[in-house]
Amino acid sequence: MTDQLSRTFSALADPTRRAILTRLSGGEATVGELAAPFDMTFAAVSKHLRVLEGAGLVTRGKDAQYRPARLDARPLASASRWIEDYAHFWEDSVDALDQYLNALQQLSPTHDLTDKENPHG
């Protein structure tokens, strides 16, 4: 069994599924409405929706004739927290590099070459 975070990232790996989630962030939609901007069949969109449902990112209505899909963003919160941990790592790394470069600049002041110092100028 795959953990929730892995299912979330697996579902987000496909650009079509990300586009579907973006569309659903504006409100529920039917398969036909979701398929409209894509050059794909309803069956292909339904397959993407099943992956999103399996990841817990989408829920579907119960009416057999009209089963709108709805965004459930709760799994995205866990993914966001996981990514945020690494954002702190990179911020700390960049800050350390900045401090190192500032220290190097303090140790090695630049000299302006004047006409007397530059025999070719």
Side-chain angles (χ1 to χ4, degrees):
M1 179 171 199
T2 306
D3 66 288
Q4 178 61 52
L5 190 59
S6 296
R7 286 191 305 272
T8 300
F9 281 120
S10 180
L12 294 174
D14 185 276
T16 300
R17 289 193 287 270
R18 291 191 305 270
I20 289 171
L21 290 177
T22 299
R23 165 54 183 88
L24 292 176
S25 70
E28 69 181 29
T30 63
V31 171
E33 291 168 337
L34 292 171
F38 302 105
D39 185 24
M40 64 176 61
T41 64
F42 285 15
V45 171
S46 292
K47 186 175 179 180
H48 283 295
L49 284 173
R50 282 193 297 278
V51 172
L52 292 168
E53 282 181 277
L57 294 165
V58 167
T59 60
R60 302 285 303 274
K62 302 294 183 202
D63 184 357
Q65 294 297 321
Y66 178 74
R67 293 192 61 216
R70 292 177 190 87
L71 174 66
D72 184 347
R74 289 177 293 179
L76 294 174
S78 296
S80 180
R81 282 190 299 273
W82 188 87
I83 291 169
E84 186 65 26
D85 289 343
Y86 288 91
H88 291 301
F89 167 79
W90 286 110
E91 287 169 8
D92 292 345
S93 297
V94 169
D95 288 345
L97 179 60
D98 187 47
Q99 290 174 2
Y100 176 73
L101 292 174
N102 285 333
L104 282 179
Q105 287 176 340
Q106 302 258 333
L107 292 174
S108 175
T110 58
H111 295 287
D112 287 334
L113 293 177
T114 63
D115 287 335
K116 287 192 257 181
E117 292 173 332
N118 184 356
H120 303 290

